[in-house]
Amino acid sequence: MSGTSFAPSLAVANDQLHVTWCDSGATNSIHAAVFNENELSPSWTNIDDLSGNINTDAGYTVVQSSLSCASMIEYNGALHIAYLIKQSSPSVDYLVRVKRYDGANVWTSLDNDQLHPGAATVLRGAFIGVANNKIYVAWAQMVNQGSKAMVYSYNGETWTSIDNGGLLAGASTNFVNYITLYNFKGSLYLGWTESNNMATTGLIHIVRYGGNDGAPTWTNVDSTGIGTPVGNLFAFVNLHSFDNQTLYVTATDMSRGVIISRSTGVGPWDNSLSFRLTFPAALPVFPYLGMLDNDMYLEHVQGTYAPTTVVLRHLNQTSGQWDVLSTSMVVDPSASVYSDGVINNDLLTAGNRMYSAWVDTTSNAVRIQMGQYV
């Protein structure tokens, strides 16, 4: 790797664990690797494009940050990846790229330049999901004085806009951020945070797609928004389900906590698993849920400035509290795993394993590390 690495994302395809991440540089780059499945002698094989970079668009830079870069998912046995690229000269231009891994370091583009909102239109993030035997891609797009969630579906040949001009719960000047997609009970769910234009108040919103691309409908399943009375501004939203009966939403509560809300998918939402830390504890960011043997786990990064820590917690069924674990993972909840500041992480439950990926900048050696909890 060269430069600084960002935003690891995990996925399983053909019973193999994969990771993708971004590296900073003149035009930035996207990389991916597959695990050899040998826990006693672990190794990773790079599966980048033959050029050494999954993004092959000359003149375009991969849009990345410590918050997001590429989103990866398995569909029909193959890895699929979505990411955002930007051209700055001769004019500002954004494109959403979607590619499929066909083996032998070959990544095939599927978007046909159709995910292109027009010159000078600012996009944020690109998230890929699967439901109803289709691929879906969503992103936040600046519109007038605010932003909206835009969603497209792919039937294997063409892309169709299904967002009815953009999804937004509140005022047109509100900002949509941290978009996520999830397949729950056979339907596509879309989640995001939405804040006022001063970023002082906001809620989490979740909608369910009706499934008809010819006449797209979205049903609000969060009533007036998830968050009140837990907090008033949220970030880093993720959706999870482990039994396809209960849908969980996790997000950072910017009042120094994590909101964990659950529902059957139609409301009401139960916030009782949420928690807040007290000063001087640092802000918990990038929260992810995992499940093993009917026990629930929560991983998050503790803090936004060095030193920071990756923390693994376990839900105590007796007390209802999230106990910090001292485990055999590479992560040590009592110590810093970064020396230069937080990047971010991902947590994946696969079979009887839970895998974690994060960027470790200890001793200025930037690399993707993998953790496993059994």
Side-chain angles (χ1 to χ4, degrees):
M1 301 179 192
S2 61
T4 300
S5 296
F6 292 109
S9 177
L10 294 166
V12 171
N14 296 318
D15 296 322
Q16 289 184 293
L17 182 66
H18 297 76
V19 64
T20 185
W21 71 94
C22 290
D23 278 352
S24 64
T27 59
N28 302 332
S29 56
I30 301 177
H31 304 282
V34 58
F35 183 45
N36 70 347
E37 301 301 315
N38 186 340
E39 297 175 3
L40 298 179
S41 182
S43 65
W44 291 82
T45 301
N46 190 288
I47 57 170
D48 291 354
D49 185 86
L50 293 174
S51 67
N53 182 359
I54 294 174
N55 176 51
T56 55
D57 286 271
Y60 281 81
T61 298
V62 177
V63 178
Q64 63 180 37
S65 71
S66 61
L67 308 181
S68 65
C69 178
S71 172
M72 184 170 62
I73 199 168
E74 180 274 337
Y75 176 62
N76 283 346
L79 281 180
H80 290 72
I81 191 171
Y83 59 93
L84 182 61
I85 57 176
K86 175 185 176 182
Q87 174 185 269
S88 298
S89 179
S91 61
V92 176
D93 191 23
Y94 285 81
L95 288 169
V96 176
R97 281 283 181 248
V98 180
K99 292 188 176 183
R100 180 187 65 232
Y101 183 58
D102 291 329
N105 297 88
V106 175
W107 291 82
T108 301
S109 180
L110 303 180
D111 55 82
N112 301 317
D113 290 342
Q114 295 180 31
L115 306 179
H116 180 210
T121 302
V122 178
L123 309 186
R124 293 175 179 168
F127 200 94
I128 190 169
V130 170
N132 310 311
N133 202 34
K134 293 180 182 178
I135 294 173
Y136 296 87
V137 176
W139 63 87
Q141 182 169 316
M142 298 297 292
V143 180
N144 297 323
Q145 301 301 311
S147 62
K148 295 181 178 181
M150 317 302 283
V151 191
Y152 277 68
S153 70
Y154 181 62
N155 63 6
E157 296 181 358
T158 60
W159 292 89
T160 302
S161 174
I162 58 172
D163 52 53
N164 297 322
L167 298 167
L168 185 72
S172 61
T173 54
N174 281 4
F175 282 92
V176 166
N177 264 313
Y178 306 109
I179 287 176
T180 185
L181 296 170
Y182 200 81
N183 183 352
F184 179 64
K185 294 184 178 180
S187 295
L188 181 73
Y189 282 70
L190 170 69
W192 70 86
T193 65
E194 187 170 322
S195 62
N196 63 1
N197 58 2
M198 299 297 291
T200 55
T201 61
L203 292 169
I204 301 165
H205 293 283
I206 300 177
V207 292
R208 182 180 65 246
Y209 181 50
N212 184 352
D213 292 356
T217 58
W218 295 86
T219 301
N220 181 306
V221 297
D222 61 48
S223 185
T224 57
I226 299 171
T228 304
V230 178
N232 63 359
L233 196 62
F234 303 93
F236 317 119
V237 174
N238 283 289
L239 296 174
H240 317 261
S241 184
F242 306 103
D243 58 4
N244 208 32
Q245 297 300 314
T246 302
L247 183 65
Y248 295 85
V249 57
T250 59
T252 292
D253 172 1
M254 300 303 285
S255 299
R256 211 181 299 274
V258 173
I259 183 170
I260 305 167
S261 194
R262 53 188 169 178
S263 168
T264 59
V266 295
W269 290 83
D270 174 9
N271 297 329
S272 61
L273 296 180
S274 305
F275 65 89
R276 272 192 185 160
L277 304 176
T278 56
F279 184 82
L283 182 70
V285 295
F286 309 117
Y288 290 89
L289 287 178
M291 180 79 76
L292 282 179
D293 298 327
N294 295 316
D295 279 329
M296 186 170 290
Y297 298 85
L298 173 71
E299 181 185 274
H300 62 84
V301 172
Q302 190 78 30
T304 54
Y305 302 98
T308 54
T309 307
V310 178
V311 176
L312 182 70
R313 297 175 183 267
H314 171 254
L315 181 61
N316 188 313
Q317 300 290 346
T318 301
S319 68
Q321 302 298 308
W322 288 96
D323 297 334
V324 175
L325 293 179
S326 178
T327 74
S328 58
M329 289 180 67
V330 176
V331 176
D332 180 358
S334 64
S336 171
V337 297
Y338 304 100
S339 62
D340 300 329
V342 61
I343 304 299
N344 62 1
N345 59 308
D346 192 14
L347 183 71
L348 175 70
T349 301
N352 63 345
R353 295 290 190 271
M354 211 161 54
Y355 296 95
S356 176
W358 65 93
V359 177
D360 180 3
T361 59
T362 303
S363 302
N364 295 317
V366 181
R367 58 191 181 274
I368 302 292
Q369 293 192 342
M370 306 299 299
Q372 173 181 301
Y373 183 75
V374 182

